[in-house]
Amino acid sequence: MKYSKVTLSVLLALGMQSPAQAVDLVEIYHAAQSQDAVFASARAVQQAGEEKLTQGRSLLLPSVTFNANTTSNDVTTNYGTASPIFVSGNMRYNTHGYGVILVQPLFREQNWAAYNQSELQVAISEAQFKLAEQDVILRSAQTYFDVLIAQDTVQLTAAQKTAIAEQLDQAKRNFEVGSATVTDTYEAQARYDLIVAQELAAGSNLEIKRRTLQKLINADVNELNALSGAFKLEAPDPADIQKWVADSQHGNFQIVQAEAAYQLAEQEVARSRGGNLPTVDLVASYGSSIATGGVFGATDTRSTAIGVQLNIPLFQGGAIQSRWREAESNRERARQDLENTRRNTELQTRQAYLGVVSGIAQVQALQQALKSSESLLDASRLGQEVGVRTNLDVLNAQQQLFSTKRDLYQAQYGYLVSQLRLKAATGNLAEADLARVNQSLH
């Protein structure tokens, strides 16, 4: 049964696996987008960060409060001198009322600074989410290729074990007929015992890598598309490391986040400084109070007031000045963090660029080394047949061939991941880049 990519992604998202078709890299990425707990957490953080703008704007808008009260009164009054107006005695009555108060800030420097901070907090949350989007692409690719190299290692180890077993059998036969010494048998047996241990370790490592992939997509995957032998090696475009470094200084989301954090620290200085400034508010109120009794009998009072309120901070125990100094120190820390982020980004960009360039050279060199290793093994086997090479020479040639194959696979996977990391360093990594890498799989 043939499943479409959309169907496969849905199956993965639901924790099910198609038994009839291997899964490719893009499908793993789509499943990670919906199932990865780290990415889901980042999405929630971004949604929470968007609310900061509403909270900051609220500091500039009017606030309206409503209050209500009701009170039962039991009052006993005794006058020392008789009065025709005030009569001694006990009175029981109820008073109740309600009121509405509106406060509109006219001048609050701290509120404006807090509003500016809320905009920067939103920018930080957006940059963090962009980083999370790129991170899930990188983790999907890295986890995918980790499984592939683990599978390759298991297959290579099994093939090497079979080849060594054949050499061991041959060494035993040659010893029995007297054409070889017991040393050849011991050498082959030692290599066989070693490869058995390596096979067990490779199987354990493959299981761990599969469980890591399961953790990412919350589903079991039995088969992955493997790397095609004819994939293209493409140099970075442009082939100028300084251009990539310059682009990273403007587009890298870690720098964007650090710049917003520095601006946020500057606004915190302004907000702390605003604690010394006066505040001016427009205050309006309306109230109603009703008493069912009292000295003057029942009353019904309504009041309306509107005015401007000025508050000037004079002394608060040195707290304002202390917060100001604290904010200035935090601003310096943010400035240094920004500088450190710029330097780290430059280093990461250079590493990724060199990883692509050196990866191409390494893959090409290992491809040639693989051909040479195959020729060496053929020559060693022929030499053993005619008596000019020993069993140890054949075992060493086999070891070199399988080691070269494993190194070649690792170099190919490393090259593909370096391509993605280079794009991420400039802030341009997207699903389209992952799709291009996916074309190398079949």
Side-chain angles (χ1 to χ4, degrees):
M1 181 178 181
K2 183 72 173 179
Y3 290 91
S4 68
K5 290 187 175 182
V6 174
T7 303
L8 283 171
S9 298
V10 172
L11 288 173
L12 286 172
L14 294 175
M16 298 181 290
Q17 168 61 29
S18 164
Q21 186 174 353
V23 179
D24 65 25
L25 180 55
V26 172
E27 291 161 355
I28 290 294
Y29 164 65
H30 288 161
Q33 277 187 312
S34 62
Q35 295 297 310
D36 180 44
V38 175
F39 185 66
S41 174
R43 185 188 296 113
V45 170
Q46 189 258 348
Q47 292 171 347
E50 290 179 346
E51 298 301 323
K52 294 294 185 181
L53 185 60
T54 301
Q55 296 169 18
R57 188 186 299 116
S58 68
L59 300 175
L60 307 178
L61 299 177
S63 63
V64 181
T65 58
F66 172 82
N67 62 79
N69 64 85
T70 180
T71 306
S72 177
N73 302 278
D74 187 345
V75 181
T76 300
T77 305
N78 292 310
Y79 295 100
T81 304
S83 170
I85 301 176
F86 301 106
V87 180
S88 300
N90 178 263
M91 293 179 293
R92 293 182 180 180
Y93 60 95
N94 177 266
T95 59
H96 56 272
Y98 65 90
V100 179
I101 301 175
L102 179 145
V103 179
Q104 169 62 60
L106 299 179
F107 178 78
R108 284 181 176 262
E109 183 67 21
Q110 288 183 306
N111 288 14
W112 277 104
Y115 172 69
N116 293 333
Q117 285 181 314
S118 68
E119 293 181 320
L120 293 169
Q121 288 170 328
V122 171
I124 290 174
S125 66
E126 290 175 349
Q128 289 174 335
F129 185 65
K130 291 293 184 182
L131 283 172
E133 287 181 322
Q134 294 191 150
D135 178 66
V136 75
I137 293 177
L138 291 174
R139 286 189 295 114
S140 296
Q142 187 65 64
T143 306
Y144 187 97
F145 291 134
D146 283 346
V147 174
L148 288 187
I149 190 60
Q151 289 180 168
D152 292 338
T153 302
V154 168
Q155 294 169 0
L156 288 172
T157 305
Q160 188 175 2
K161 178 183 175 182
T162 301
I164 294 174
E166 293 175 356
Q167 287 299 121
L168 177 59
D169 291 340
Q170 182 178 352
K172 289 180 178 179
R173 288 194 302 269
N174 291 341
F175 175 70
E176 290 174 355
V177 299
S179 61
T181 65
V182 71
T183 303
D184 290 340
T185 303
Y186 289 157
E187 288 171 346
Q189 186 65 55
R191 292 293 181 94
Y192 183 81
D193 294 338
L194 178 61
I195 200 64
V196 168
Q198 292 175 346
E199 185 179 37
L200 293 173
S204 177
N205 182 61
L206 175 58
E207 180 64 20
I208 292 173
K209 298 305 181 184
R210 285 190 177 277
R211 296 285 75 79
T212 303
L213 179 61
Q214 180 189 37
K215 171 179 174 290
L216 178 69
I217 64 175
N218 194 30
D220 287 325
V221 178
N222 295 325
E223 186 177 355
L224 299 176
N225 281 349
L227 186 63
S228 171
F231 81 99
K232 295 181 180 180
L233 297 172
E234 298 179 352
D237 183 22
D240 181 2
I241 191 171
Q242 292 302 131
K243 179 65 168 58
W244 285 96
V245 170
D247 290 345
S248 70
Q249 294 297 306
H250 295 93
N252 185 276
F253 288 109
Q254 289 180 328
I255 293 180
V256 172
Q257 179 182 340
E259 287 176 340
Y262 174 66
Q263 295 173 10
L264 182 66
E266 285 190 321
Q267 289 298 323
E268 181 62 23
V269 172
R271 194 170 76 90
S272 300
R273 187 186 303 116
N276 286 317
L277 300 177
T279 62
V280 181
D281 299 321
L282 174 67
V283 181
S285 64
Y286 171 80
S288 174
S289 178
I290 300 175
T292 58
V295 176
F296 300 102
T299 59
D300 185 349
T301 305
R302 288 178 172 80
S303 64
T304 302
I306 185 170
V308 176
Q309 181 174 298
L310 170 68
N311 291 293
I312 302 177
L314 297 178
F315 181 70
Q316 295 184 4
I320 295 177
Q321 289 75 14
S322 177
R323 284 193 289 267
W324 189 357
R325 292 191 297 270
E326 178 188 14
E328 288 182 329
S329 297
N330 287 332
R331 177 178 60 181
E332 178 60 20
R333 182 195 64 183
R335 190 180 72 82
Q336 296 300 333
D337 288 346
L338 173 58
E339 180 62 24
N340 182 59
T341 302
R342 291 187 183 279
R343 295 177 186 179
N344 284 338
T345 299
E346 179 179 351
L347 177 60
Q348 292 168 2
T349 304
R350 291 183 182 275
Q351 287 176 332
Y353 182 90
L354 295 175
V356 175
V357 174
S358 64
I360 294 174
Q362 188 177 13
V363 169
Q364 292 173 339
L366 287 169
Q367 287 172 340
Q368 183 59 44
L370 180 61
K371 295 178 182 178
S372 301
S373 297
E374 290 171 344
S375 300
L376 175 61
L377 179 58
D378 293 339
S380 298
R381 285 173 173 168
L382 180 60
Q384 185 184 23
E385 292 176 1
V386 300
V388 296
R389 285 290 184 269
T390 65
N391 189 57
L392 179 60
D393 294 327
V394 176
L395 291 172
N396 288 336
Q398 289 175 342
Q399 176 67 38
Q400 180 175 325
L401 175 61
F402 289 115
S403 295
T404 303
K405 283 184 178 180
R406 184 171 58 251
D407 292 343
L408 176 59
Y409 293 153
Q410 289 178 332
Q412 290 172 334
Y413 298 142
Y415 159 75
L416 293 174
V417 173
S418 293
Q419 279 189 319
L420 298 176
R421 293 192 184 281
L422 182 58
K423 281 297 189 73
T426 60
N428 295 319
L429 181 61
E431 183 178 343
D433 301 299
L434 195 68
R436 278 193 291 272
V437 172
N438 193 55
Q439 293 174 357
S440 302
L441 306 172
H442 66 86

